[in-house]
Amino acid sequence: MSRDQRAEDNGALLAAQEMALARKEPLAVLFCLLPSFKGAPGGAFAFMLDGLIETARDLARRKIPLIVLRGDPVLEIPRWIGARGASALFCDFDPLREKRLWQREIAVRVSVPFFEVDGHNVVPCRRASFKQEYAAYTFRPKIRALLPRFLEDMPSLKDHPFPWSREDEGSRSLDRLVEARKNLPSPLPASGPPGSAAGRRRLDAFLAAGLTDYDGKRNDPNEEAQSGLSPYLHFGQISARRAALEVTRSAASDEAKEAFLEELVVRRELADNFCFYNEAYDRFEGFPDWARRTLDAHRSDERPLLYGPADLEEARTDDPLWNAAQRQMVLTGKMQGWLRMYWAKKIFEWSPSPEEALRRALLLNDRYELDGRDPNGYAGVAWSIGGVHDRAWPERPLFGKVRYMNLAGARRKFDVDAFCRSVPPLG
């Protein structure tokens, strides 16, 4: 268990249980706990650990232990598989480079059948498309054609009738999770409480009060129109398929449903497609040809302002909206979606090169966002700086043909001053 940290609506777990039941064998869930991952903040680890503690208890009620390993998964998982005499191994799908490398290396080191199940996407990434899609308009018809096949309820996880021989292994792992959690800060307040139950409550609250206005208000940072599901989806504490099913069954207008499903399914799964089929998803080389050419042509353009990494991290620029967006991210672990695009484009404008802008934006995103280290973040920053999933626009200095955004445009969309006043200072 890595990307989908929940007991219910978990395709990999259900597939493993189906095999275990057919063979009349016990079933265990492994989680390999790393001391750190790509600069993830303490709040993100706390959010994850609280969710895992809940999941461990959910699994224990079904007679399935969650066993926590510590260290390098490439070493620890094969070692555990061999020591316990396991007969098969199942894992979550993940399009990111590090996770895919782990899986390839683990596959070489184990002598049992090794299965990967994509339960994170509504339509499995490999099934949705066999190539990197150019943009949402090329990807959307493929997703829409497949949704009826995949948008259905999953069976419930059963109480497992074949007991694990080492009964104390799960309880010791739970103690290990609780101990690891003690030294971390509380989750950031804007995220809400962690865990699958909290994720489901957040979804229910959005269905009851937020979905109706989603289409018209989601791009206004002063409105509480977004779902708030992002961290729960990122850690797999709630299933995207479950969220999509409940949205389609709601009484909201077709326009509101379509707007939300566009973000939840089409755009989110387009990000997985980008990272899975483009090994350079976090590098300049991963930008489309037209964007690389236009950015190269404007490398020597004069930048009106240059800021160093500390100025950006501490929100010390001349742009009040950017500063407020950065403060919001640092203080709450989240940034409203439209603002994140504006935020990344200004980092490009203030950095000495596209490569450095990309590095800075991803570093800050992964350090402070609860949903950092995620395909959505990599695709979003690549869209903002490198035109990924976008088209060429009229040429202008510095940006070339990459889409431009500025403060005046933001003021036409929403009350910028009200938003700036709403975010407290750092420190």
Side-chain angles (χ1 to χ4, degrees):
M1 180 177 282
S2 175
R3 200 182 186 202
D4 295 307
Q5 300 170 18
R6 60 182 182 274
E8 289 296 337
D9 294 324
N10 188 323
L13 180 55
L14 288 169
Q17 184 173 60
E18 183 179 13
M19 179 179 286
L21 291 172
R23 295 180 176 184
K24 299 183 178 179
E25 292 178 346
L27 173 65
V29 173
L30 300 181
F31 187 88
C32 199
L33 188 62
L34 296 172
S36 64
F37 182 67
K38 291 183 71 66
F45 264 109
F47 194 94
M48 182 188 75
L49 288 175
D50 281 342
L52 280 171
I53 290 167
E54 179 185 325
T55 296
R57 291 170 176 155
D58 288 344
L59 290 169
R61 286 192 287 272
R62 293 166 174 82
K63 315 302 181 188
I64 302 168
L66 187 148
I67 295 164
V68 176
L69 308 178
R70 284 181 176 272
D72 184 347
V74 170
L75 301 177
E76 298 304 323
I77 290 175
R79 184 180 297 152
W80 189 93
I81 292 289
R84 297 298 184 273
S87 65
L89 177 62
F90 288 75
C91 74
D92 307 319
F93 167 81
D94 197 308
L96 298 186
R97 187 183 308 110
E98 292 89 349
K99 300 288 188 68
R100 292 171 66 189
L101 179 60
W102 292 347
Q103 290 176 9
R104 287 196 294 269
E105 293 186 357
I106 289 169
V108 171
R109 292 168 182 261
V110 299
S111 57
V112 301
F114 186 9
F115 303 91
E116 180 189 71
V117 180
D118 186 352
H120 202 78
N121 293 302
V122 179
V123 178
C125 182
R126 288 184 178 90
R127 185 70 182 276
S129 179
F130 301 107
K131 63 178 183 178
Q132 180 184 338
E133 293 294 330
Y134 182 76
Y137 74 83
T138 67
F139 188 60
R140 190 179 297 110
K142 298 179 180 183
I143 288 288
R144 294 295 183 183
L146 290 166
L147 267 182
R149 163 69 180 82
F150 290 99
L151 197 53
E152 57 185 24
D153 286 298
M154 296 178 117
S156 295
L157 187 68
K158 298 179 175 68
D159 289 350
H160 203 74
F162 307 106
W164 191 253
S165 59
R166 299 168 181 254
E167 294 184 359
D168 65 334
E169 205 166 6
S171 60
R172 284 190 284 110
S173 286
L174 179 58
D175 292 342
R176 197 171 297 149
L177 287 174
V178 172
E179 186 63 30
R181 176 65 180 88
K182 286 180 181 177
N183 299 320
L184 291 170
S186 298
L188 297 166
S191 66
S196 295
R200 182 55 199 249
R201 290 194 299 272
R202 178 63 243 171
L203 173 61
D204 290 343
F206 174 67
L207 293 172
L211 180 58
T212 300
D213 296 326
Y214 183 79
D215 187 30
K217 295 183 178 180
R218 71 182 186 277
N219 286 330
D220 187 340
N222 293 308
E223 299 285 349
E224 291 294 327
Q226 295 196 318
S227 70
L229 292 173
S230 183
Y232 302 102
L233 291 167
H234 169 70
F235 288 106
Q237 295 174 358
I238 191 170
S239 159
R241 182 189 297 204
R242 172 59 51 200
L245 276 168
E246 298 305 325
V247 165
T248 60
R249 293 166 178 169
S250 75
S253 68
D254 289 344
E255 292 79 11
K257 293 178 185 179
E258 287 298 312
F260 185 72
L261 291 175
E262 172 72 13
E263 298 297 327
L264 176 71
V265 183
V266 176
R267 299 286 176 167
R268 182 173 163 274
E269 299 189 6
L270 180 61
D272 261 34
N273 170 275
F274 170 61
C275 291
F276 185 67
Y277 288 111
N278 189 330
E279 283 287 333
Y281 58 79
D282 56 353
R283 301 194 297 271
F284 180 84
E285 294 75 23
F287 296 165
D289 290 344
W290 69 264
R292 294 201 308 273
R293 286 195 300 270
T294 195
L295 291 172
D296 280 339
H298 287 270
R299 280 183 182 274
S300 61
D301 289 3
E302 182 180 357
R303 284 164 163 76
L305 289 168
L306 285 173
Y307 290 108
D311 294 320
L312 297 176
E313 188 162 12
E314 296 168 17
R316 299 195 309 254
T317 79
D318 71 334
D319 185 323
L321 177 59
W322 193 94
N323 293 343
Q326 173 68 12
R327 295 198 309 270
Q328 182 187 57
M329 181 175 68
V330 171
L331 294 171
T332 70
K334 72 171 188 176
M335 189 187 298
Q336 190 266 354
W338 187 92
L339 278 180
R340 212 183 311 198
M341 296 185 292
Y342 177 83
W343 171 88
K345 284 184 177 293
K346 296 302 286 188
I347 291 177
F348 167 69
E349 189 175 331
W350 297 331
S351 298
S353 69
E355 291 87 352
E356 178 63 11
L358 184 63
R359 189 193 71 80
R360 291 176 177 184
L362 291 177
L363 180 68
L364 290 172
N365 186 78
D366 291 351
R367 179 175 294 169
Y368 290 110
E369 288 278 1
L370 275 175
D371 65 353
R373 308 152 309 283
D374 189 278
N376 276 334
Y378 294 114
V381 171
W383 178 92
S384 301
I385 296 173
V388 169
H389 301 148
D390 204 2
R391 63 176 176 84
W393 290 72
E395 195 160 10
R396 61 178 300 120
L398 192 60
F399 282 80
K401 296 179 181 179
V402 174
R403 185 194 299 249
Y404 176 68
M405 296 170 73
N406 63 14
L407 184 59
R411 291 191 184 280
R412 290 192 292 272
K413 283 183 171 292
F414 60 91
D415 188 338
V416 167
D417 295 331
F419 175 74
C420 294
R421 289 193 300 268
S422 72
V423 184
L426 296 178

